[in-house]
Amino acid sequence: EVQLVESGGDWVQPGESLRLSCVGSGFDFSRSFITWIRQAPGKTLEWVSTIYVDSTFTMGDAVKGRFAISRDNSKNTVYLQMNDLRSEDTALYWCQTTIAREKVRGPGTQVTVSS
């Protein structure tokens, strides 16, 4: 069974950091690109970042310079390091991949940034 599971979400104050993890199973993780997406309350889904098979990546403008994405294929894990968090980063975060043309997404992890 193809599965993605996110973790690491928490309630933090503005300016603090968090690292989200996305663990995949049931597919060839090392040959898959992984995308982080998020949805803030009352807003539409927003693309955050994508990391490719060769570990190159693209990053959304809203998080560029504050977030970093990396992968450890030995652990079937992609990380999203989030620094200098802002209230507008408050959202449910998912990691997602495409297997056989179908998008697979984990259950999500909640990030809340508030003082």
Side-chain angles (χ1 to χ4, degrees):
E1 177 189 5
V2 175
Q3 195 172 20
L4 291 170
V5 179
E6 306 90 343
S7 64
D10 204 346
W11 191 326
V12 296
Q13 295 191 348
E16 293 186 339
S17 298
L18 279 176
R19 188 176 78 162
L20 305 184
S21 299
C22 168
V23 179
S25 60
F27 63 101
D28 193 343
F29 189 88
S30 65
R31 298 177 70 176
S32 300
F33 66 87
I34 304 292
T35 293
W36 283 98
I37 54 177
R38 68 184 183 182
Q39 187 166 26
K43 296 192 175 180
T44 57
L45 212 57
E46 179 185 20
W47 168 72
V48 177
S49 182
T50 298
I51 188 164
Y52 301 97
V53 171
D54 61 357
S55 292
T56 58
F57 61 89
T58 48
M59 195 73 68
D61 288 341
V63 303
K64 201 172 291 183
R66 299 187 297 120
F67 289 15
I69 190 170
S70 61
R71 65 190 302 158
D72 184 346
N73 290 332
S74 69
K75 297 180 180 179
N76 278 13
T77 301
V78 165
Y79 302 101
L80 185 69
Q81 177 67 43
M82 308 187 296
N83 300 322
D84 189 23
L85 283 161
R86 305 168 180 171
S87 57
E88 53 263 39
D89 296 316
T90 295
L92 185 59
Y93 285 72
W94 295 273
C95 59
Q96 179 175 286
T97 193
T98 300
I99 303 293
R101 299 184 181 182
E102 287 199 15
K103 291 182 179 178
V104 177
R105 187 186 299 178
T109 187
Q110 177 67 40
V111 172
T112 301
V113 185
S114 174
S115 55

